[in-house]
Amino acid sequence: MKKRTFLKTSSTLLAGSLFAPWTACKQSSAPQEEAPVRTNWAGNLTYSTNQLHQPTSVEALQELVLKSEKVRALGSRHCFNRIADSRYSQISLDALPALMEADPAAGTVSTGAALRYGQLCPYLHKQGLAIHNLASLPHISVAGACATGTHGSGVHNGNLSTAVTGMELVRADGELVQLSAATHPTIFPGAVVHLGALGIVTRLQLKVQPAFQMRQMVYQFLPESQLEAHFDQIMSAGYSVSLFTDWQSDTVNQVWIKERLEETRPEAPASEFFGAKLATRNLHPIVELSAENCTEQMGVPGPWYERLPHFRMNFTPSSGKELQTEFFVPQERAVEALAAMRALHREVADLLLISEIRTVAADQLWLSPAYGRPSVAIHFTWKQDRQALDRILPKIESALAPFDMRPHWGKIFGVPAEVLASRYEKMADFRALMKEYDPNGKFKNEFLESVMA
Ligand SMILES: Cc1cc2nc3c(=O)[nH]c(=O)nc-3n(C[C@H](O)[C@H](O)[C@H](O)COP(=O)(O)OP(=O)(O)OC[C@H]3O[C@@H](n4cnc5c(N)ncnc54)[C@H](O)[C@@H]3O)c2cc1C
């Protein structure tokens, strides 16, 4: 028996279809009365339109898309670049019924696209289910995260998009289409990480597994020499391992180890880890900030969705007023790439709040930064000074170029389209898919023009 939860309304099942049909409800697709200034979450950019549509039914959404000349989907606004921007209009699905429908027998959940992981995960946990991994924060929308290849950490964990087994989207011609690996085996791996270019995703079907308990430990001051000598071993020391560093000393500031707790009673955490010392209190990755915003550490057991993210749902994640950049390199070259970053430690010192190093398992999703290679993601949280960042960014990007670095689609980067095309072997196939789903470029914006050669 499927277990279903509807936050605002209910719907009925349609046999033979990947997703149940949406219940028709009041159609209201008129642009909202908006405050004159609309920004992304970090406030580092203002969207170029005040036309924000919030349809309350899928039928209204279809009509809106059909009538629109140009439009972009907007998720929870957590990207740092103009990927979600439009000079014409944006559509948020926040007013659609927030459907969550678990199917434990099939090992899937069907979720409304605009739902935040922070809404979906407690529901899943109550059903005895879990997603394989989460980003550092639960505040982001499922559709927005999967559209950009958002990831957590763990050598065996693919990014969040790898959980997608089905999608429902409104195409440029207003048609509501359903895609899955079974029905569209050739193009499905191309459609999952889509950068908002194929249509407005209304629902996603995600792979789930039985719920599990976790604990996380933080170690401080990992000697760089240990990291260089034992990189793979350190990054495999838990289900998910993150390193935080400011590159300013010969130690890594913090190592966060997230362990799955299986049936047996866990041993007490070791007091040392490759020369790093077990922290004696909860810590924020930016050590000066309050750990109140962070998920429980110190080895305290808890449900998967309260340990996999670093930050708690009802608190500000990260620092708030910031910029972010992130680059993926092949894991086999991680030690070299980290050495190249360390060589820039003086140049980043004034602007950097903290860097994070994580692993992402290889996948086959065409535009995933981990496409075809086990990857290491090198992330930077910066003070919010775009001019200073623009001076440093080319140096970082050229230092990582020998490793065929791929940038995070939702963060700030300057890698030009022709270089991206050389680092994504499926880019031409993705452009062909865009042409098929959106022949007149209804969903194209300036960001997409700039990244697609
Ligand atoms: C504090 C902070 C921490 C972060 N931590 C991580 C992390 O741990 N790992 C990581 O990988 N990233 C991280 N990010 C980046 C973030 O997860 C991604 O940028 C993600 O894409 C944000 O999702 P969103 O819903 O806010 O998307 P938005 O910024 O709103 O949109 C992103 C893209 O998704 C598209 N989109 C959104 N909804 C739909 C839809 N319904 N249909 C079609 N397209 C849609 C938009 O058009 C746009 O192209 C972090 C960001 C912040 C601010």
Side-chain angles (χ1 to χ4, degrees):
M1 178 69 186
K2 290 185 177 182
K3 295 178 179 154
R4 314 156 81 203
T5 292
F6 306 82
L7 295 189
K8 291 187 185 146
T9 187
S10 64
S11 73
T12 49
L13 275 173
L14 179 67
S17 157
L18 188 62
F19 297 105
W22 295 89
T23 302
C25 49
K26 202 173 121 232
Q27 302 206 352
S28 153
S29 56
Q32 279 228 324
E33 281 293 315
E34 270 294 312
V37 177
R38 299 178 50 242
T39 69
N40 64 341
W41 171 84
N44 66 294
L45 61 85
T46 300
Y47 295 123
S48 314
T49 177
N50 273 336
Q51 296 286 300
L52 176 68
H53 299 272
Q54 293 190 287
T56 57
S57 73
V58 170
E59 295 75 17
L61 170 66
Q62 290 177 265
E63 204 177 302
L64 183 60
V65 170
L66 182 63
K67 281 198 309 221
S68 298
E69 189 193 337
K70 287 272 206 186
V71 69
R72 284 294 279 174
L74 187 63
S76 54
R77 302 179 296 112
H78 282 79
C79 286
F80 290 86
N81 59 30
R82 294 208 169 266
I83 188 169
D85 197 19
S86 171
R87 285 197 287 118
Y88 299 83
S89 64
Q90 290 169 311
I91 296 180
S92 156
L93 302 189
D94 281 344
L96 279 189
L99 176 88
M100 299 184 278
E101 182 181 307
D103 185 346
T108 58
V109 63
S110 167
T111 171
L115 253 89
R116 299 348 185 211
Y117 283 95
Q119 295 170 281
L120 177 64
C121 294
Y123 160 75
L124 280 178
H125 191 69
K126 275 198 197 118
Q127 314 299 321
L129 298 170
I131 307 174
H132 74 290
N133 209 355
L134 292 170
S136 69
L137 75 175
H139 309 59
I140 49 178
S141 78
V142 178
C146 293
T148 61
T150 290
H151 64 97
S153 192
V155 290
H156 300 298
N157 296 327
N159 65 32
L160 306 193
S161 327
T162 61
V164 178
T165 54
M167 294 164 66
E168 180 185 85
L169 62 96
V170 177
R171 264 186 343 207
D173 59 5
E175 281 296 304
L176 187 65
V177 295
Q178 296 187 355
L179 301 177
S180 74
T183 59
H184 297 75
T186 320
I187 59 135
F188 191 68
V192 175
V193 179
H194 53 78
L195 316 183
L198 302 182
I200 311 291
V201 176
T202 48
R203 290 197 222 185
L204 289 151
Q205 189 185 61
L206 307 179
K207 200 165 31 189
V208 292
Q209 57 180 273
F212 51 94
Q213 291 285 108
M214 297 191 81
R215 66 174 183 179
Q216 64 181 335
M217 281 76 66
V218 175
Y219 291 85
Q220 289 182 282
F221 316 121
L222 173 75
E224 289 285 359
S225 54
Q226 291 286 343
L227 186 62
E228 266 171 40
H230 307 286
F231 183 82
D232 289 342
Q233 218 181 328
I234 288 172
M235 298 311 286
S236 314
Y239 184 73
S240 161
V241 176
S242 293
L243 311 178
F244 289 96
T245 180
D246 59 9
W247 313 97
Q248 298 307 312
S249 73
D250 57 4
T251 62
V252 165
N253 307 32
Q254 297 177 15
V255 182
W256 287 40
I257 301 179
K258 298 171 194 268
E259 278 181 3
R260 274 179 83 133
L261 298 173
E262 308 301 344
E263 300 286 290
T264 53
R265 201 181 150 84
E267 288 173 15
S271 58
E272 277 208 27
F273 177 77
F274 289 92
K277 304 276 181 291
L278 186 65
T280 52
R281 61 181 175 92
N282 282 356
L283 294 174
H284 193 287
I286 304 168
V287 80
E288 298 79 18
L289 298 185
S290 165
E292 195 197 7
N293 299 12
C294 298
T295 49
E296 193 69 58
Q297 303 160 25
M298 306 283 292
V300 178
W304 56 279
Y305 69 96
E306 290 180 356
R307 294 296 179 273
L308 284 170
H310 304 328
F311 302 107
R312 293 161 68 190
M313 181 62 181
N314 295 320
F315 293 78
T316 301
S318 196
S319 94
K321 196 167 163 55
E322 65 191 61
L323 298 174
Q324 293 189 9
T325 55
E326 188 166 29
F327 304 102
F328 299 74
V329 297
Q331 183 169 342
E332 61 190 12
R333 304 206 56 195
V335 171
E336 289 170 83
L338 295 179
M341 286 302 91
R342 253 192 309 280
L344 294 174
H345 70 276
R346 278 198 195 84
E347 317 198 34
V348 303
D350 287 343
L351 195 61
L352 187 69
L353 289 168
I354 199 68
S355 269
E356 181 176 8
I357 296 151
R358 287 177 281 185
T359 50
V360 190
D363 62 52
Q364 290 301 311
L365 305 175
W366 299 355
L367 290 194
S368 163
Y371 176 83
R373 58 190 208 193
S375 298
V376 167
I378 309 174
H379 161 92
F380 302 81
T381 302
W382 307 99
K383 292 175 194 161
Q384 207 170 81
D385 180 344
R386 184 62 201 256
Q387 281 183 349
L389 179 56
D390 285 344
R391 286 193 292 275
I392 292 170
L393 201 49
K395 294 181 190 173
I396 294 176
E397 293 190 347
S398 66
L400 294 178
F403 312 107
D404 279 342
M405 159 278 275
R406 296 169 181 160
H408 191 303
W409 291 114
K411 303 186 181 181
I412 295 169
F413 62 90
V415 184
E418 56 281 11
V419 175
L420 289 173
S422 73
R423 293 180 189 164
Y424 281 94
E425 62 188 79
K426 290 293 214 174
M427 187 70 95
D429 293 319
F430 185 76
R431 280 204 310 271
L433 190 58
M434 273 170 69
K435 199 88 196 132
E436 185 188 334
Y437 273 71
D438 181 18
N440 300 317
K442 187 175 278 190
F443 301 116
K444 263 196 181 162
N445 64 0
E446 284 168 17
F447 174 90
L448 282 181
E449 306 275 2
S450 74
V451 298
M452 301 278 162

